[in-house]
Amino acid sequence: NTDIHKHRQTERQTQTQTDRQTDRQTDIHNHRQTDTNTNRQKDKLAVSLDALPLNEIPAAPELTEEDARDLDALCLAKSHFELKEYDRAAYFLRGCRSQKAYFLYMYSRYLSGEKKKDDETVDSLGPLEKGQVRNEALRELRVELSKKHSAGELDGFALYLYGVVLRKLDLLKEAVEIFVAATHALPLHWGSWLELCNLITNIEMLKSLSLPECWVRDFFMAHMFTELQMIKEALQKYQSLMEAGFAKSTYIISQIAVAYHNIRDIDQALYLFNELREQDPFRIENMDTFSNLLYVRSMKPELSYLAHNLVEIDKYRVETCCVIGNYYSLRSQHEKAALYFQRALKLNPRCLGAWTLMGHEYMEMKNTSAAIQAYRHAIEVNKRDYRAWYGLGQTYEILKMPFYSLYYYRKAHHLRPNDSRMLVALGECYEKLSQQVEAKKCYWRAYSVGDVERMALLKLAKLHEQLNESDDAAQCYIIYIQDIFSCGEQLEHAEVSTALRYLGQYYFKNKLYDEASLCAQRCCDYNDAREEGKALLRQISAVREQGEPSSTDLSLACVFNPLINTTTPVRRASPLDLSSVTP
Amino acid sequence: MASVHESLYFNPMMTNGVVHANVFSIKDWVTPYKIAVLSLLYEMSTTKPMALLDRRRLNKLILPIQQGPDLTLEQFLKIVEECCLRMVNAVKLRLFLMADGELQDMEHFFTMLPNAFSDSEAFKTSVVGLFMRQMLLAYNKLSFSQVYKLYKSLQQYCRRGNQPELSAEDMELTSNEDPRMDINTRGPLSQKQAEYFLARQAYLLKNDENKAMSPAKLQDELNNILKFNPDFAEAHYLSYLNSMRVQDIYISTHSLLHYFDRLILSGGEGKSNGDEGYGRSLRYAVLNLATLHCRFGHYQQADLALQESIRIAQEANDHVCLQHCLSWLYTLEQMKGSDSVVLTEDSVKIAAHFCLPYLASLGIQSLVQQGAKQGMPANKLLDALRGTDIMHWKQSLSELIEISLAQTTSIWRMYGKSTMARQQAQLLLNMNSLEPVNFGVQQNNTEAFAVTLCHLAELHAEQGLYAVVSDIMKHLKQQFPPHTQHAKLWMLCDLKIQFEKAMNDGKYHLADPHVTAISALNSTEGLYRKAQLLKALNQTTKASKILKQLQQRCEKSKNTEMIIRMMLASAELHWDSATGFATAVPLLLQALALSRQHNLQSLTSETLLHLAFTQLMLGIPEQALVLVQDVLESVLAHGSLIDKGRALLLAARCHMALAGAAAQEHRLTAVELAVHTLDEAAVYFSQLDCKERMRDIHYLQARLHHSLGNISQRNKCAMLFRLLDQELPSSGMTVVNRL
């Protein structure tokens, strides 16, 4: 008995500590943690705030009569609960009256059902039956909870549990209502917010809910905006939260970094992740996203450092496996990469990113059928995963089925209407199907939404070239060259020489010799176009010697007619601009 | 951030990143229901003396019980009870003994089960034996906890229904939670059962849509299967077929592609020839996509997909796939309305070369159809059809037999031989189905039947048997409900009949809405009907404008029948104008040449009647009479009631015109002949209840009787004329100006 008493003492102490850490605004009367994420979240936020002076630390909540009576049973049950002996915990709590004990009682029963369900799944008789293993406890729990709910006896945590039960029973509408009620009852319980977030599918639904006015709500909204791909709004929210005093929160930094990753602002995201690693060196969450960024930028040493570091921290984490997979993939060891992604999937089969990445690896290994399968799995986990749709499209394109892949690219484009990569892919498919009109539209649109890879214009120009629409082609090349130079970077694939060569010939044909010679001179800067540039220069000088008048009458306006008859303002540039830019 | 509550569901069947649904090749496993079936089998084999009738009934029961979805105990016992009362008690006793006893009883049952059969031949070879051995194997494979679970569920199975677990209020709460529960009470489907279910539904969709589940319900079932086993690719294909029924392009495309994404994998693994199977399904995937676009009328998309499929098939040297592509290519060309005879001929040749009888005869049938439209000699067409028929019967290709018969019906009808058409139609309708789904029952639910029934309805409508027509229509509506794919056929047919009826009755205001409805289903037909209606309403300019439009369209699509009809209609329009009759003649001669060239007998005789009428109006009744008498025979034999009446009326008018010019003695006989002919015509018109024509006839008769001096007869006719004249609105059309 004394032993239990002692245990209780220490337990109280830790509990008050957590209470203090939580927040000055809370009056959370603490149940034991319901959700590891929630508690961690809370603590993390607390750490990010300035420390409180001792006298302002809120006092521990009062114990009620019932709490006191149930305390022993509760402690015992808690120990059992932590040892994952859920049935045992529930048994010792069966007579308890207090809210805290009641929640733990129900929660143990719920988890016991879930655990048995998982065990059954492995043991089930056949593949079709596997999905039909159900958590048998759910229905009973629902009946009891709904009785209590209608009597108004549920507190915030129990409401949360009720919501979870309803969601598991696929009663989504009711579940949303209950979760909203739970957030009202206990706004600081992040678990309810997270569950709510999983149930909200679009912005209209989000707006229609009446949520409690509390600072947690801002976190929730920001999270929701990220989920709904409304990155700009999300970033605004996070910014204002940081200004409100959460500047040191690693959670917010990581979320912002992920948001930047989503809109492919790689530099910003990388910067933030590096900062995050400095502040929280043993963090594993979100590191897979970080590794994706490093992969995209081919930063081998950084990626390898990250991988080694993470393995030291914990090698049996999904994120770690993904990072290692990326590492191997960057080193072109695709079998090993696939192996690590598989390991990640074994750790968590619902890990979306790993399915897609594994698909990419199989693609690299030319195992198209396995790649298709992996992508399909990714789509099954999340229908809105545009990468998997895009990957499927690519796979079929490799199999020389451009028409077939159109469907997949269209799906991907539908999910990311402003992503130029899908548009370029669509354009390429149309080009292969000799649907030039559609292809042109795609390329032009890709350029208009901001071309990431800067390939759209070049492709458009080549298409025009093929169709003998020389004016349009020249126009495209001009914009392309300006684009390449203005971004200032050296791109590996840049085909500036091709563009210059074409422009030189084009001006020459149109008898604009000054411009033509300028282009030809620029051509000489590139190895592959040097000879042609020189030849063109010779031609020009030959023509000039013959004394043909330089055709000044050919007005620029007629050459540079609008690229495509749209109302979109085209950036016009006189060819002389070229002299001002330095390659 | 995965929630803690997500069950960490580990898939043991995943190797190399790929999920094999059947890695243990478990297709079936033991459930309480299976135990019930086993105990029934056991009892059947141990009870030796049994009434022959009872045994026969039970034997018939075994297969459906074995293959169907799991039933509840009450359902199962009820089915058995209907066959044999004694057996029910024995089975019940055995089951309850097991459930109320302990686990050992169940184990005992499984150990003694093979003893009862081991000596019989059935155990080794029959379906029942296979089932039994499968069950035994599955049972022996079970682990300790699985056996215990099985026993638990057996106990639950036996007690369900007589032991309410929850109070009434709680029941209310739990009952609304899951609308699928009533389906689910049947228990999960095993792989075998699911396969059987899919195969059955797919088969029904093809052969008798009405017997299959309703689209919504079927989709529910499929979603259910897919939810529990996303790897069950065949369900996606059925989902594709199902959404095609309701014309849902979104879901059908999605399901089709999903199916092939899955299949590509299993094909690659399953086939011994490795890569071959994988590439093959790719080719067929694109081909299927092409057919999908084809069915939704996206011809350009279909064309692109088809080209792609042809390209891949060519690269892989897959002649069979290429052949399929070719047959779709000519179908596509046909659908687009361009000439595809050459393609089709090629297709038939190659199909015959690669021994693909189905494709070859489909090609021949398609050729026959095109040939009939282009006026190929009838004997060649029918010969070709007969040739393929022999092969169909040899290979029992019942689907093609049906199509062939329906095609013959259509061809005879087009040629205007109503008796032959009727006979062929009856042949098809009375044919016993070869498909087991409707074995013994005569009806299938295919397009061929719909076409034939429509022809039959129109043929009856021509003879004025409207009661029969409405019966046929009722049947069609029942067999092909409006949402099904062949419903358009009878809708158009129904509208046409109603339009004709309204026109005959002179109720033009009724005909007007029909025209709109017809245009919705078939725009060319709609134009023609509109022109007819406008002509009847004396709006000649509008009518001729529409006819011009129709002409352009028909010349593009080479629809000969419609061209001739259009010519006849414009000739009729010419009659109304001042110098019309002379200008109508060349048009009619052109129509005559065309209809003779295409063997369209009914149209030929109609054209001849028009020509005769023109001649009569131009004042050469002798010539007209000769023409009419030539044609009269075939009209009376094959024509519709209204044609018969019109022909006789025309003949009578020719007689009258001749009588005016003839000598006295001839004149009397000629007039009497005319009266007689008019009487005959009156019979036909009265059958159709065609009042305007009746009025004309009474008028003519009254005039004739007057000239003959039969005063009483004359007065009677005059009275009848007056009655009808008052009843009908005065139309601008005079008796003279109409055929």
Side-chain angles (χ1 to χ4, degrees):
Chain A
N1 211 348
T2 49
D3 210 289
I4 294 175
H5 190 72
K6 243 185 184 170
H7 187 156
R8 195 165 67 195
Q9 289 274 313
T10 48
E11 184 62 49
R12 278 306 327 148
Q13 275 167 13
T14 50
Q15 214 163 323
T16 40
Q17 271 168 8
T18 19
D19 279 354
R20 181 177 53 90
Q21 284 170 355
T22 310
D23 204 295
R24 59 200 106 161
Q25 302 165 49
T26 72
D27 54 352
I28 189 166
H29 86 110
N30 207 344
H31 288 286
R32 185 59 191 159
Q33 69 181 52
T34 56
D35 188 335
T36 42
N37 275 330
T38 320
N39 235 20
R40 248 198 301 167
Q41 166 86 7
K42 195 166 61 190
D43 295 348
K44 272 188 268 177
L45 282 181
V47 169
S48 73
L49 295 174
D50 298 331
L52 281 179
L54 185 65
N55 54 359
E56 277 179 42
I57 289 171
E62 297 285 311
L63 285 178
T64 60
E65 192 69 13
E66 285 176 337
D67 285 340
R69 205 183 312 134
D70 293 341
L71 202 55
D72 293 327
L74 186 64
C75 287
L76 176 62
K78 217 179 289 175
S79 314
H80 285 311
F81 181 85
E82 273 155 20
L83 289 168
K84 300 199 172 173
E85 298 188 50
Y86 301 117
D87 286 333
R88 215 165 156 193
Y91 176 77
F92 285 110
L93 284 169
R94 69 200 181 284
C96 293
R97 292 269 166 68
S98 68
Q99 294 276 355
K100 217 188 279 184
Y102 179 71
F103 169 72
L104 192 58
Y105 170 61
M106 293 307 257
Y107 195 55
S108 313
R109 283 176 59 190
Y110 167 73
L111 281 184
S112 137
E114 285 293 298
K115 185 164 173 278
K116 280 179 192 151
K117 185 179 124 188
D118 285 351
D119 294 347
E120 289 279 297
T121 311
V122 180
D123 217 19
S124 70
L125 296 169
L128 273 176
E129 203 197 17
K130 188 187 294 300
Q132 277 168 340
V133 179
R134 297 153 66 95
N135 183 347
E136 297 299 336
L138 284 178
R139 297 171 73 183
E140 286 171 36
L141 283 176
R142 183 193 170 207
V143 172
E144 286 180 36
L145 283 168
S146 79
K147 269 187 205 158
K148 280 243 182 188
H149 178 58
S150 45
E153 289 172 12
L154 295 182
D155 66 344
F157 288 102
L159 274 172
Y160 161 73
L161 180 59
Y162 184 31
V164 170
V165 169
L166 287 175
R167 185 174 69 81
K168 285 273 172 179
L169 287 169
D170 281 336
L171 297 164
L172 301 185
K173 228 171 85 187
E174 290 88 336
V176 170
E177 275 169 33
I178 297 296
F179 281 127
V180 170
T183 54
H184 276 281
L186 196 66
L188 295 180
H189 181 213
W190 184 238
S192 320
W193 293 102
L194 268 187
E195 289 288 337
L196 200 55
C197 165
N198 287 336
L199 292 174
I200 292 173
T201 48
N202 52 33
I203 185 72
E204 281 75 24
M205 191 174 167
L206 179 63
K207 279 179 186 158
S208 68
L209 296 175
S210 74
L211 299 167
E213 288 297 333
C214 175
W215 55 271
V216 183
R217 186 190 163 152
D218 290 328
F219 276 95
F220 170 70
M221 291 306 269
H223 185 81
M224 218 44 245
F225 285 140
T226 325
E227 287 284 304
L228 295 172
Q229 302 271 334
M230 297 162 67
I231 307 294
K232 213 190 285 170
E233 287 85 346
L235 284 175
Q236 259 172 10
K237 276 272 178 212
Y238 283 127
Q239 208 57 48
S240 62
L241 278 169
M242 283 177 87
E243 279 158 17
F246 287 106
K248 278 190 265 169
S249 162
T250 49
Y251 169 76
I252 292 185
I253 297 176
S254 69
Q255 288 295 308
I256 295 179
V258 169
Y260 276 125
H261 167 257
N262 283 351
I263 52 172
R264 307 199 63 79
D265 190 340
I266 298 173
D267 296 326
Q268 272 286 354
L270 277 176
Y271 169 73
L272 281 170
F273 270 119
N274 280 323
E275 196 173 317
L276 189 65
R277 293 261 305 153
E278 249 166 54
Q279 288 190 13
D280 189 2
F282 292 96
R283 186 188 178 98
I284 293 186
E285 283 165 303
N286 305 114
M287 283 306 123
D288 48 340
T289 320
F290 185 34
S291 74
N292 283 348
L293 290 169
L294 292 175
Y295 180 90
V296 171
R297 276 287 149 87
S298 326
M299 296 159 84
K300 264 189 201 172
E302 286 86 348
L303 187 55
S304 113
Y305 175 71
L306 180 69
H308 289 139
N309 199 344
L310 287 182
V311 168
E312 265 177 20
I313 301 169
D314 184 354
K315 58 179 175 177
Y316 295 118
R317 284 284 293 268
V318 179
E319 287 89 348
T320 313
C321 294
C322 286
V323 172
I324 299 173
N326 273 335
Y327 166 73
Y328 276 124
S329 177
L330 195 58
R331 290 170 54 105
S332 318
Q333 296 184 329
H334 299 293
E335 285 88 355
K336 279 196 176 170
L339 196 73
Y340 272 94
F341 290 128
Q342 268 171 39
R343 183 180 284 183
L345 286 172
K346 273 190 186 154
L347 290 168
N348 181 9
R350 299 190 62 77
C351 176
L352 173 71
W355 277 120
T356 321
L357 289 173
M358 196 160 77
H360 293 331
E361 291 316 311
Y362 279 124
M363 282 273 285
E364 295 284 348
M365 283 149 65
K366 303 271 183 295
N367 186 351
T368 39
S369 59
I372 289 171
Q373 188 79 345
Y375 288 132
R376 263 292 168 196
H377 274 286
I379 291 169
E380 224 148 72
V381 179
N382 183 1
K383 265 188 208 162
R384 304 183 55 80
D385 182 28
Y386 68 94
R387 282 185 226 94
W389 287 113
Y390 183 70
L392 273 175
Q394 275 183 320
T395 317
Y396 282 112
E397 210 182 329
I398 285 179
L399 290 167
K400 294 186 199 160
M401 294 160 78
F403 182 79
Y404 207 74
S405 58
L406 269 183
Y407 175 81
Y408 298 104
Y409 282 139
R410 254 187 238 134
K411 273 267 184 201
H413 171 62
H414 180 73
L415 293 170
R416 299 265 296 188
N418 285 329
D419 197 323
S420 64
R421 287 169 298 169
M422 284 80 181
L423 281 163
V424 172
L426 270 174
E428 280 171 0
C429 283
Y430 278 123
E431 209 180 321
K432 278 181 196 154
L433 294 168
S434 25
Q435 306 272 304
Q436 273 91 358
V437 186
E438 279 85 355
K440 271 193 258 180
K441 276 183 203 156
C442 286
Y443 289 142
W444 181 246
R445 176 100 191 119
Y447 168 69
S448 317
V449 297
D451 190 7
V452 192
E453 288 161 330
R454 307 191 185 284
M455 288 298 284
L457 271 177
L458 192 67
K459 285 181 187 296
L460 185 59
K462 283 183 179 161
L463 195 58
H464 281 307
E465 210 181 314
Q466 273 174 26
L467 295 172
N468 287 329
E469 296 164 346
S470 54
D471 292 347
D472 291 337
Q475 182 73 27
C476 287
Y477 277 130
I478 290 171
I479 306 178
Y480 174 69
I481 291 174
Q482 279 176 344
D483 244 28
I484 292 287
F485 288 150
S486 64
C487 80
E489 293 170 48
Q490 286 295 327
L491 291 167
E492 290 163 23
H493 61 77
E495 293 196 48
V496 181
S497 54
T498 326
L500 283 171
R501 201 157 42 185
Y502 182 82
L503 277 178
Q505 295 289 350
Y506 171 76
Y507 287 133
F508 183 72
K509 265 180 216 152
N510 284 309
K511 298 176 183 165
L512 291 163
Y513 299 117
D514 292 339
E515 285 85 354
S517 67
L518 191 65
C519 287
Q521 278 160 16
R522 286 250 173 267
C523 268
C524 299
D525 296 342
Y526 299 91
N527 282 333
D528 50 343
R530 186 164 294 143
E531 289 309 312
E532 290 191 36
K534 281 179 185 164
L536 187 61
L537 276 177
R538 256 178 268 135
Q539 273 181 320
I540 293 169
S541 55
V543 171
R544 277 190 176 153
E545 272 167 24
Q546 283 176 10
E548 262 187 40
S550 177
S551 63
T552 41
D553 55 324
L554 194 71
S555 66
L556 287 177
C558 86
V559 179
F560 296 103
N561 56 350
L563 189 57
I564 280 173
N565 291 329
T566 51
T567 46
T568 335
V570 180
R571 273 195 287 161
R572 302 262 176 83
S574 82
L576 293 171
D577 275 7
L578 281 176
S579 56
S580 62
V581 290
T582 47
Chain B
M1 235 186 278
S3 167
V4 201
H5 307 288
E6 294 303 337
S7 66
L8 288 177
Y9 141 89
F10 166 70
N11 197 339
M13 295 174 182
M14 201 175 81
T15 50
N16 201 19
V18 163
V19 177
H20 302 286
N22 262 332
V23 75
F24 303 136
S25 69
I26 298 177
K27 286 217 157 180
D28 222 343
W29 63 86
V30 193
T31 62
Y33 168 74
K34 296 277 166 60
I35 295 181
V37 176
L38 285 177
S39 59
L40 172 71
L41 289 174
Y42 180 78
E43 290 299 334
M44 274 173 66
S45 63
T46 45
T47 349
K48 282 295 172 205
M50 202 196 295
L52 193 63
L53 217 60
D54 281 356
R55 182 166 285 277
R56 185 174 296 163
R57 277 198 298 250
L58 279 174
N59 284 348
K60 271 176 92 174
L61 193 64
I62 289 173
L63 202 62
I65 279 186
Q66 219 175 286
Q67 288 178 330
D70 284 12
L71 304 170
T72 64
L73 186 62
E74 293 89 71
Q75 286 168 327
F76 174 70
L77 290 178
K78 201 168 157 245
I79 293 176
V80 179
E81 196 174 354
E82 278 162 15
C83 299
C84 178
L85 198 61
R86 221 171 40 151
M87 202 47 85
V88 169
N89 291 327
V91 171
K92 222 189 211 164
L93 194 69
R94 185 160 293 281
L95 278 178
F96 282 124
L97 216 65
M98 261 192 276
D100 294 338
E102 40 188 317
L103 216 160
Q104 204 193 350
D105 294 314
M106 189 172 78
E107 284 189 336
H108 178 66
F109 173 70
F110 275 98
T111 42
M112 70 174 190
L113 190 61
N115 298 339
F117 296 93
S118 51
D119 51 337
S120 74
E121 194 60 30
F123 189 64
K124 285 172 200 146
T125 51
S126 72
V127 184
V128 177
L130 193 67
F131 172 70
M132 198 91 88
R133 282 180 293 155
Q134 247 171 6
M135 284 295 119
L136 281 172
L137 194 66
Y139 180 77
N140 289 334
K141 268 187 177 174
L142 293 183
S143 69
F144 178 80
S145 63
Q146 283 170 331
V147 173
Y148 180 67
K149 197 181 144 207
L150 178 65
Y151 185 64
K152 274 278 177 210
S153 52
L154 178 69
Q155 280 184 328
Q156 221 177 12
Y157 182 73
C158 291
R159 287 194 196 124
R160 187 151 58 181
N162 45 21
Q163 221 180 38
E165 288 168 20
L166 300 162
S167 68
E169 186 202 353
D170 298 344
M171 283 300 280
E172 200 178 306
L173 265 172
T174 42
S175 61
N176 63 359
E177 78 177 20
D178 205 344
R180 296 182 288 106
M181 273 316 276
D182 50 331
I183 307 170
N184 260 12
T185 45
R186 280 188 279 153
L189 294 170
S190 72
Q191 176 109 6
K192 262 265 160 68
Q193 286 167 329
E195 273 170 14
Y196 180 72
F197 170 78
L198 293 184
R200 167 117 194 125
Q201 291 296 328
Y203 180 78
L204 285 177
L205 280 190
K206 187 177 155 221
N207 286 305
D208 195 345
E209 211 183 308
N210 285 343
K211 288 211 177 91
M213 282 175 152
S214 71
K217 210 170 156 211
L218 184 56
Q219 198 65 44
D220 275 350
E221 282 283 339
L222 290 174
N223 289 345
N224 206 15
I225 293 179
L226 283 174
K227 190 174 158 197
F228 294 132
N229 189 353
D231 303 320
F232 203 60
E234 287 80 1
H236 286 294
Y237 193 75
L238 193 61
S239 159
Y240 153 65
L241 291 179
N242 193 34
S243 36
M244 287 293 289
R245 276 162 92 191
V246 286
Q247 302 276 305
D248 184 339
I249 182 153
Y250 181 77
I251 297 182
S252 49
T253 323
H254 182 78
S255 298
L256 182 71
L257 295 184
H258 201 152
Y259 168 69
F260 278 105
D261 283 348
R262 296 282 184 192
L263 185 77
I264 280 163
L265 189 89
S266 55
E269 300 288 324
K271 297 271 163 30
S272 53
N273 47 355
D275 193 57
E276 175 56 30
Y278 162 49
R280 186 164 169 268
S281 52
L282 276 182
R283 297 191 278 281
Y284 284 98
V286 190
L287 185 58
N288 267 290
L289 194 62
T291 62
L292 181 131
H293 283 301
C294 220
R295 288 205 182 121
F296 280 104
H298 308 156
Y299 296 133
Q300 200 208 353
Q301 306 271 316
D303 201 32
L304 288 174
L306 208 52
Q307 276 171 20
E308 193 161 301
S309 143
I310 291 172
R311 193 169 41 74
I312 318 177
Q314 231 159 14
E315 276 168 20
N317 233 349
D318 182 347
H319 291 290
V320 179
C321 183
L322 268 179
Q323 185 48 40
H324 279 282
C325 292
L326 186 55
S327 58
W328 268 104
L329 196 62
Y330 74 70
T331 317
L332 188 65
E333 289 294 315
Q334 248 172 358
M335 278 175 159
K336 280 201 251 176
S338 46
D339 185 23
S340 62
V341 177
V342 184
L343 273 179
T344 320
E345 273 171 359
D346 282 352
S347 165
V348 172
K349 273 178 212 154
I350 302 169
H353 180 249
F354 284 107
C355 294
L356 299 166
Y358 192 91
L359 285 180
S361 47
L362 261 186
I364 291 176
Q365 282 174 349
S366 171
L367 268 181
V368 166
Q369 195 180 339
Q370 291 172 46
K373 275 185 188 159
Q374 289 166 6
M376 286 245 292
N379 58 346
K380 272 193 183 167
L381 297 181
L382 292 175
D383 223 33
L385 277 182
R386 208 197 52 219
T388 53
D389 266 349
I390 293 169
M391 190 181 65
H392 299 156
W393 283 106
K394 263 188 199 159
Q395 316 220 1
S396 312
L397 298 168
S398 68
E399 197 186 342
L400 291 178
I401 295 171
E402 281 162 19
I403 296 177
S404 160
L405 277 171
Q407 215 169 27
T408 331
T409 314
S410 303
I411 289 177
W412 280 123
R413 176 106 205 287
M414 196 179 88
Y415 287 159
K417 308 279 189 196
S418 55
T419 324
M420 285 306 285
R422 262 199 297 273
Q423 182 219 5
Q424 291 291 325
Q426 292 297 345
L427 212 57
L428 176 60
L429 294 178
N430 285 313
M431 189 178 82
N432 275 333
S433 168
L434 295 176
E435 297 286 346
V437 57
N438 281 329
F439 204 80
V441 195
Q442 283 151 6
Q443 291 273 326
N444 264 340
N445 242 11
T446 51
E447 191 182 5
F449 274 87
V451 169
T452 316
L453 281 169
C454 285
H455 277 311
L456 216 52
E458 280 180 25
L459 284 169
H460 280 95
E462 279 177 5
Q463 301 306 323
L465 303 166
Y466 289 113
V468 182
V469 171
S470 77
D471 275 351
I472 295 178
M473 278 300 155
K474 216 163 80 187
H475 180 69
L476 274 167
K477 270 176 209 168
Q478 211 174 21
Q479 286 285 310
F480 305 90
H483 63 267
T484 54
Q485 50 180 339
H486 304 312
K488 274 184 190 167
L489 288 170
W490 63 256
M491 284 176 182
L492 183 61
C493 165
D494 190 23
L495 285 169
K496 274 201 247 176
I497 291 173
Q498 286 186 35
F499 175 83
E500 290 283 351
K501 196 163 173 236
M503 290 298 280
N504 284 345
D505 290 354
K507 292 172 184 162
Y508 302 128
H509 59 284
L510 284 183
D512 194 35
H514 293 321
V515 172
T516 332
I518 289 175
S519 312
L521 289 169
N522 183 345
S523 53
T524 317
E525 187 76 33
L527 272 182
Y528 172 64
R529 303 281 161 175
K530 186 156 192 195
Q532 272 193 321
L533 183 65
L534 287 174
K535 183 162 61 73
L537 292 170
N538 270 339
Q539 301 181 352
T540 10
T541 18
K542 268 194 196 168
S544 69
K545 208 181 280 170
I546 286 182
L547 282 175
K548 284 239 171 63
Q549 212 179 327
L550 185 64
Q551 186 184 10
Q552 280 167 0
R553 191 180 291 194
C554 288
E555 270 163 14
K556 209 183 278 170
S557 65
K558 293 191 182 138
N559 187 343
T560 322
E561 248 181 305
M562 195 47 91
I563 290 177
I564 296 170
R565 280 180 208 282
M566 186 273 305
M567 283 173 173
L568 293 181
S570 21
E572 282 173 27
L573 277 180
H574 281 304
W575 293 344
D576 288 339
S577 63
T579 58
F581 292 107
T583 48
V585 172
L587 207 57
L588 286 172
L589 285 174
Q590 204 183 340
L592 185 65
L594 210 57
S595 60
R596 283 218 166 116
Q597 184 196 337
H598 283 82
N599 307 317
L600 307 174
Q601 202 192 343
S602 68
L603 282 175
T604 313
S605 36
E606 199 167 338
T607 318
L608 280 173
L609 284 183
H610 276 75
L611 210 54
F613 180 75
T614 320
Q615 285 174 341
L616 178 68
M617 285 297 129
L618 286 171
I620 31 177
E622 303 87 353
Q623 280 299 325
L625 189 63
V626 173
L627 271 183
V628 172
Q629 271 165 349
D630 271 358
V631 140
L632 202 54
E633 195 180 346
S634 80
V635 169
L636 288 179
H638 297 292
S640 60
L641 273 188
I642 187 126
D643 282 340
K644 288 181 198 172
R646 274 155 68 182
L648 286 171
L649 180 59
L650 187 61
R653 285 173 72 177
C654 288
H655 284 306
M656 279 167 70
L658 283 174
Q664 191 60 36
E665 63 270 34
H666 287 301
R667 189 173 169 184
L668 207 63
T669 48
V671 169
E672 267 169 2
L673 196 63
V675 172
H676 186 66
T677 323
L678 280 175
D679 275 341
E680 261 182 73
V683 173
Y684 290 128
F685 286 132
S686 65
Q687 266 177 23
L688 273 176
D689 200 21
C690 189
K691 284 184 183 133
E692 277 185 50
R693 309 263 183 193
M694 287 302 285
R695 182 182 60 178
D696 297 352
I697 285 181
H698 289 313
Y699 171 76
L700 288 176
Q701 275 182 331
R703 293 297 301 269
L704 287 175
H705 283 302
H706 178 73
S707 64
L708 284 174
N710 295 339
I711 306 298
S712 64
Q713 290 283 343
R714 181 199 71 188
N715 288 350
K716 195 177 136 206
C717 288
M719 186 193 69
L720 284 172
F721 167 74
R722 176 125 181 85
L723 279 177
L724 281 174
D725 199 37
Q726 273 172 339
E727 193 182 322
L728 291 168
S730 60
S731 69
M733 203 82 76
T734 46
V735 130
V736 198
N737 256 353
R738 205 167 71 169
L739 176 66

